[in-house]
Amino acid sequence: MKRLILFAAAALILVACGHQIPQEYTESDDLPNIYPDYIDVTIPVNMAPLTFQLDDRADGMVARLSAGDEEVVYSDKVQPSMSEWKQLVQSALNQKPAAIQVEVFVDKYDHWTRFKPFHIYVSPDSIDSYISYRLIPPSYVTYEELTISQRCLENYDESVIYDNMLCSEGANGQCINCHNYQQYNPERMQFHARQNLGGTIIAYDGKIKKVNMRNDSILSAGVYPTWHPWLPLIVYSSNMTGQIFHSVDLNKIEVFDTESDLIAYDVEKDEVMNIENDPAELECFPFWAPDGKTLYYCSAHFEYQDTIDHGKEFLMHTEEVKYNLYKKFFNPETLQFGPRELVFAADSLGKSATLPRVSPDGRFLMFTLAKHGVFHIWHHDADLWMLDLQTGVVRNMEEINSPDTESYHSWSSNGRWVVFSSRRYDGNYTRPFIAHIDKNGKGTKPFELPSADPDYHRQFLKCYNVPEFMRGPVTIKPQRFADVVKQEAVPVKYVSKFSK
């Protein structure tokens, strides 16, 4: 490591907030160790202030953030105000490259060191103003204590969309999951209530209803949803799900489907129909392409033997189950689906592909890839991959992956950002990370969702699951949702095909 002693000729540098840059220090070629790691990340122009702190033992820390003529100095923790941050961002946009420079000075034993400066790059591409996610402990012991919450990305405001405890009744517990929106529209959303008072809650332009999607002609109620881009139509996978709890395996929990199909639900007519229900295929995680004419999903082939209990047989072969990516043509005029077509044969690589998500311009398909299975959020080897739908090129997104879990991901409405769940910091908690994606599908170094206190996520003992972008907040109050959850569910009618 190269070091040299630098003696400043001037007196201590003072700034408006009163913090001081040391007059005498040693210069280091090393980057500072900070948390969260915001070194050389790229952020949207409308992002909330990034806060960070030194992640080493020290007697003191001073950091200077500068862009153009703007300069602010902080000590201990870097926590810019909204006005300071906006001035830095706007000044950064007026220079090339558009960046905020960060200098970190560390005091150890009355000796100051100036670490190698780094940058926070500012993209003119904005990001949707809100994301929502499910907050849940990383354990099934207290799984009822969960919420679907929303966070404004332009500041630190967070609020609850629905609190699971509003309808819990002691032993009659429940679970809520799978929030989803039509084209980022917070006024058209759905989520599931499971077990006690179970049903699918659908909010559609101010109206809310609870639907009982169970029917003798389909495998189960809808599970993983995807709204059609403009039609009042939701496609679900219907799943018979099980779990294995490991005592030794690094992947603590294995979530799997012994059976799964694809169904479609008409929001206005309360009609449901089967799309794919081959007993030898395990279809899951559907997703509509933005053209509204293509439905992507994943499926694994598994044939049961009649002489063995199906549940026990599947448990013996969970690591052999590998999912491929498929698509089906859909005619929005006739509401008819075509046959399935193979998109990506992950099993040919000895891998399993899940969670296909198509960019808003229809160019790229991002998915997760792991050794086996369908529920990759519990697989430490899970990575994000990208398929270029124009060229057919498939690649590992090494620029945004980490040695630990990368899983559920969502595109911003302008296609320039993705948010995804990662366990990269401690291997236990999933937290939202955001990365810029350029027109060629190349990503930048991801950054953790910023908080007012940089140490907030390490002290907040819950996982962020299923991050989804929204154009604005859900304005329906949690208690109104709870009132609907307590109502009788509207039964669906099974049809063999939809009619206009």
Side-chain angles (χ1 to χ4, degrees):
M1 178 179 66
K2 180 182 177 183
R3 292 179 180 270
L4 59 91
I5 304 297
L6 177 65
F7 297 94
L12 289 176
I13 301 171
L14 301 178
V15 294
C17 52
H19 303 306
Q20 300 177 347
I21 297 297
Q23 183 179 11
E24 184 178 305
Y25 51 82
T26 298
E27 189 114 0
S28 171
D29 286 337
D30 293 336
L31 288 165
N33 183 19
I34 61 171
Y35 175 81
D37 178 9
Y38 290 145
I39 295 175
D40 295 338
V41 298
T42 299
I43 63 167
V45 63
N46 58 329
M47 194 71 209
L50 268 57
T51 66
F52 65 87
Q53 63 190 35
L54 188 69
D55 209 25
D56 285 328
R57 292 184 179 275
D59 298 317
M61 187 270 280
V62 172
R64 173 165 53 196
L65 277 62
S66 59
D69 296 331
E70 297 294 331
E71 178 180 300
V72 191
V73 177
Y74 306 92
S75 63
D76 297 329
K77 293 183 178 182
V78 174
Q79 296 173 291
S81 68
M82 291 298 297
S83 59
E84 291 169 343
W85 185 252
K86 288 180 179 179
Q87 289 174 350
L88 285 168
V89 167
Q90 290 303 315
S91 294
L93 289 174
N94 293 329
Q95 40 185 42
K96 291 185 178 181
I100 300 169
Q101 178 174 278
V102 183
E103 303 164 83
V104 175
F105 302 80
V106 176
D107 177 21
K108 286 188 177 182
Y109 310 112
D110 295 324
H111 181 85
W112 286 91
T113 300
R114 177 183 181 267
F115 285 86
K116 182 180 179 180
F118 64 90
H119 294 88
I120 297 172
Y121 297 98
V122 180
S123 169
D125 295 325
S126 62
I127 199 168
D128 296 293
S129 58
Y130 273 80
I131 60 170
S132 58
Y133 36 74
R134 187 170 65 148
L135 293 176
I136 183 171
S139 166
Y140 284 72
V141 176
T142 58
Y143 77 94
E144 288 184 79
E145 297 178 11
L146 58 92
T147 63
I148 297 174
S149 297
Q150 58 189 356
R151 160 72 191 272
C152 180
L153 295 180
E154 297 176 344
N155 54 45
Y156 308 120
D157 292 346
E158 185 183 59
S159 59
V160 172
I161 296 175
Y162 181 69
D163 188 335
N164 193 51
M165 298 301 289
L166 288 174
C167 292
S168 288
E169 300 174 359
N172 295 323
Q174 63 174 191
C175 174
I176 51 170
N177 53 24
C178 299
H179 56 284
N180 191 257
Y181 308 88
Q182 185 179 45
Q183 285 296 90
Y184 309 92
N185 185 351
E187 294 185 359
R188 294 183 177 183
M189 72 166 296
Q190 74 99 69
F191 65 88
H192 302 305
R194 303 294 189 197
Q195 300 174 349
N196 182 45
L197 303 175
T200 298
I201 312 303
I202 296 177
Y204 198 79
D205 295 345
K207 299 178 180 179
I208 312 174
K209 64 181 177 180
K210 176 182 172 183
V211 177
N212 177 10
M213 213 169 295
R214 294 185 180 276
N215 189 283
D216 292 341
S217 298
I218 60 177
L219 179 63
S220 72
V223 181
Y224 304 115
T226 177
W227 286 77
H228 188 273
W230 65 85
L231 294 174
L233 181 69
I234 307 176
V235 169
Y236 296 91
S237 59
S238 56
N239 309 63
M240 300 299 290
T241 301
Q243 299 170 352
I244 304 172
F245 293 82
H246 297 293
S247 58
V248 178
D249 196 297
L250 180 64
N251 296 324
K252 300 175 183 178
I253 300 173
E254 184 69 45
V255 181
F256 57 91
D257 296 324
T258 57
E259 297 178 72
S260 54
D261 296 331
L262 293 182
I263 61 174
Y265 165 68
D266 188 311
V267 174
E268 294 180 340
K269 297 180 180 179
D270 289 319
E271 294 179 345
V272 66
M273 62 173 276
N274 281 304
I275 302 174
E276 287 281 335
N277 60 347
D278 186 335
E281 292 291 329
L282 302 171
E283 301 93 352
C284 196
F285 291 128
F287 188 82
W288 284 106
D291 64 3
K293 299 178 181 179
T294 314
L295 179 72
Y296 289 89
Y297 63 97
C298 62
S299 182
H301 186 78
F302 190 86
E303 295 187 24
Y304 289 99
Q305 302 179 41
D306 293 336
T307 56
I308 303 177
D309 177 86
H310 285 188
K312 293 180 180 179
E313 182 180 4
F314 197 91
L315 288 176
M316 293 187 294
H317 299 280
T318 53
E319 294 190 4
E320 301 169 20
V321 179
K322 302 181 188 298
Y323 286 73
N324 295 324
L325 300 183
Y326 294 89
K327 66 180 180 181
K328 294 175 73 69
F329 175 77
F330 175 74
N331 188 326
E333 298 299 322
T334 63
L335 305 182
Q336 301 303 304
F337 290 89
R340 77 173 189 173
E341 301 175 40
L342 179 65
V343 175
F344 175 62
D347 61 355
S348 66
L349 305 177
K351 300 288 186 178
S352 182
T354 68
L355 286 168
R357 297 287 183 269
V358 183
S359 59
D361 63 1
R363 169 80 183 273
F364 299 105
L365 187 153
M366 188 180 291
F367 60 96
T368 63
L369 196 71
K371 291 180 181 178
H372 70 276
V374 70
F375 213 70
H376 289 166
I377 198 169
W378 285 108
H379 291 198
H380 290 281
D381 67 312
D383 281 331
L384 293 174
W385 283 58
M386 186 84 89
L387 166 61
D388 188 327
L389 294 173
Q390 286 186 5
T391 66
V393 173
V394 184
R395 69 176 186 89
N396 184 327
M397 298 199 72
E398 297 177 335
E399 69 273 24
I400 68 175
N401 287 321
S402 75
D404 217 305
T405 306
E406 267 70 55
S407 60
Y408 195 98
H409 45 284
S410 172
W411 290 89
S412 65
S413 62
N414 63 4
R416 294 279 72 90
W417 304 92
V418 291
V419 60
F420 59 94
S421 297
S422 178
R423 298 186 192 271
R424 65 185 59 200
Y425 276 143
D426 55 30
N428 293 311
Y429 291 88
T430 51
R431 300 185 177 102
F433 281 75
I434 299 170
H436 184 265
I437 307 295
D438 68 18
K439 63 180 181 180
N440 298 313
K442 183 73 173 179
T444 58
K445 178 181 176 179
F447 64 93
E448 185 179 22
L449 177 70
S451 301
D453 185 336
D455 206 42
Y456 174 76
H457 285 140
R458 292 199 293 201
Q459 299 181 37
F460 184 60
L461 304 182
K462 288 189 177 181
C463 290
Y464 292 72
N465 285 358
V466 192
E468 288 276 3
F469 281 111
M470 309 136 71
R471 296 184 188 274
V474 174
T475 57
I476 300 169
K477 301 299 182 183
Q479 190 57 58
R480 187 179 175 198
F481 276 127
D483 291 341
V484 175
V485 171
K486 294 174 183 178
Q487 297 174 4
E488 287 294 322
V490 177
V492 299
K493 176 185 178 183
Y494 179 80
V495 295
S496 59
K497 66 178 182 179
F498 289 134
S499 60
K500 290 292 287 185

